[in-house]
Amino acid sequence: MKQIPVYHVDAFTSTPFTGNPAGVVPDAGALTEEEMQNIARELNLSETAFLLPPQHPEADLKVRFFTPTSEIGFCGHATVGSAWVLATDYGWLEKAERLVLETNIGLVPVEWQTTDGRLTDVVMTQVTPKVRDAEVSAADVARWVGVQESDLDTRYPIRLGHTGNWHLLVPVKTRAAIDAAQPMLSELEAINRRQEAVTTHLFTLESKGGDYDLYTRDFGPAVGIPEDPVTGSANGALAGYLVLEGVLDNATEHRLTFAQGDAMRRPGRLQISISSSPDGAVIRVGGAAVPTLKGMLTLP
């Protein structure tokens, strides 16, 4: 029998039992892929991050992400949770101003933000965004996500967006319509698998004076997650979509607050900046985290 440390971390929040919970295994170098999948299934969180020695010469650590059913290329909230644990329990906040994580989709730099020496936020720079046609009808999408076709916001196109994973991005007129959505999960699973997408992501630019600029909701049955509370990768892809589709001016720097999780009673907030570079839009996604459980996991 062997034991390894494991954490349960709520990401994109500073309040326990809100935001998106992730598993974090900080010392996974001796684990097999089968053991990682079994641990992710045992923890039964949307994603669990496993930290290993890096293979890339520019990386500080390698991280692999598993849902209860499969490995995925990238996970935003588990990245935030992992970086928070590394900073607070493994001394990285004193070692360096940032670290570089090697993931299956490339290198992801992560920076710390502090106030009076206290960690307040973790900010990751996601890979360069891209979009492609979803090749689906508005009527079908409305039926799959469980809203009326008239609820869709036709000012903006339905697209697949990517900053690490592909996500089906669906514009909706109002938060009320998003909150009332009753998705057909089996249908979404089939279309996302066909599109090689991880989730379907509903969004609205209606804020009505709230503490956010965009409101979202995310469904991922194709990777064993009926609904994910607060998604760093999907909202990063959405931020890229906003400039690539001309919703926002790509020559201007934008700082936005995205809200998600309210419909699941796990509200979270993401701080997202969008800037330009010679290589394309730069998407930086940040937020706080709070560990709620730390212990030892026993393996056979």
Side-chain angles (χ1 to χ4, degrees):
M1 307 288 278
K2 58 184 176 181
Q3 292 187 317
I4 58 169
V6 63
Y7 290 76
H8 182 293
V9 185
D10 292 337
F12 297 121
T13 182
S14 57
T15 303
F17 315 130
T18 64
N20 199 354
V24 177
V25 181
D27 187 13
L31 297 177
T32 66
E33 182 172 311
E34 182 181 8
E35 287 174 324
M36 293 182 204
Q37 185 63 77
N38 286 339
I39 291 169
R41 185 179 302 112
E42 181 74 9
L43 295 179
N44 201 32
L45 300 169
S46 57
E47 281 89 10
T48 296
F50 296 85
L51 297 164
L52 308 98
Q55 297 175 322
H56 194 287
E58 298 178 19
D60 296 295
L61 291 165
K62 181 177 175 65
V63 57
R64 295 177 68 177
F65 304 101
F66 287 80
T67 77
T69 62
S70 61
E71 183 174 11
I72 60 173
F74 178 66
C75 174
H77 82 279
T79 297
V80 168
S82 298
W84 195 277
V85 168
L86 291 171
T88 57
D89 279 23
Y90 286 79
W92 278 90
L93 188 60
E94 289 74 35
K95 289 180 186 178
E97 294 181 354
R98 72 169 199 162
L99 76 159
V100 177
L101 296 175
E102 176 186 356
T103 76
N104 288 344
I105 54 91
L107 298 180
V108 176
V110 179
E111 302 171 20
W112 329 115
Q113 292 185 347
T114 62
T115 300
D116 298 327
R118 181 179 60 87
L119 182 63
T120 57
D121 290 281
V122 169
V123 180
M124 60 186 145
T125 301
Q126 298 189 352
V127 301
T128 303
K130 52 189 176 182
V131 296
R132 61 181 171 89
D133 288 341
E135 299 181 351
V136 291
S137 71
D140 282 341
V141 169
R143 180 172 58 84
W144 295 331
V145 302
V147 301
Q148 298 297 315
E149 187 175 354
S150 59
D151 290 325
L152 299 181
D153 194 336
T154 56
R155 294 176 298 172
Y156 313 116
I158 298 168
R159 290 284 188 268
L160 288 158
H162 181 282
T163 52
N165 302 312
W166 287 105
H167 301 271
L168 179 61
L169 305 174
V170 181
V172 180
K173 291 177 181 176
T174 66
R175 170 177 170 166
I178 289 180
D179 283 342
Q182 296 183 327
M184 302 175 65
L185 293 176
S186 61
E187 299 277 356
L188 282 184
E189 178 178 358
I191 185 60
N192 285 160
R193 287 186 183 278
R194 189 163 75 243
Q195 296 168 326
E196 298 183 342
V198 172
T199 72
T200 296
H201 199 59
L202 279 59
F203 72 92
T204 182
L205 277 71
E206 179 201 59
S207 60
K208 289 188 175 179
D211 65 339
Y212 55 86
D213 301 292
L214 287 91
Y215 181 80
T216 69
R217 197 171 169 198
D218 193 78
F219 305 104
V223 290
I225 308 167
E227 182 169 359
D228 209 9
V230 194
T231 50
S233 62
N235 283 306
L238 173 57
Y241 160 101
L242 294 175
V243 291
L244 294 175
E245 292 296 330
V247 180
L248 298 176
D249 180 8
N250 63 5
T252 303
E253 183 171 351
H254 303 276
R255 295 184 180 275
L256 304 168
T257 299
F258 286 39
Q260 193 184 335
D262 298 60
M264 298 182 71
R265 298 184 179 179
R266 294 197 64 99
R269 298 294 182 267
L270 309 91
Q271 306 303 320
I272 298 183
S273 70
I274 311 167
S275 57
S276 60
S277 78
D279 297 322
V282 177
I283 308 298
R284 301 174 77 240
V285 179
V290 54
T292 56
L293 181 66
K294 174 183 177 181
M296 302 298 293
L297 183 69
T298 300
L299 298 175

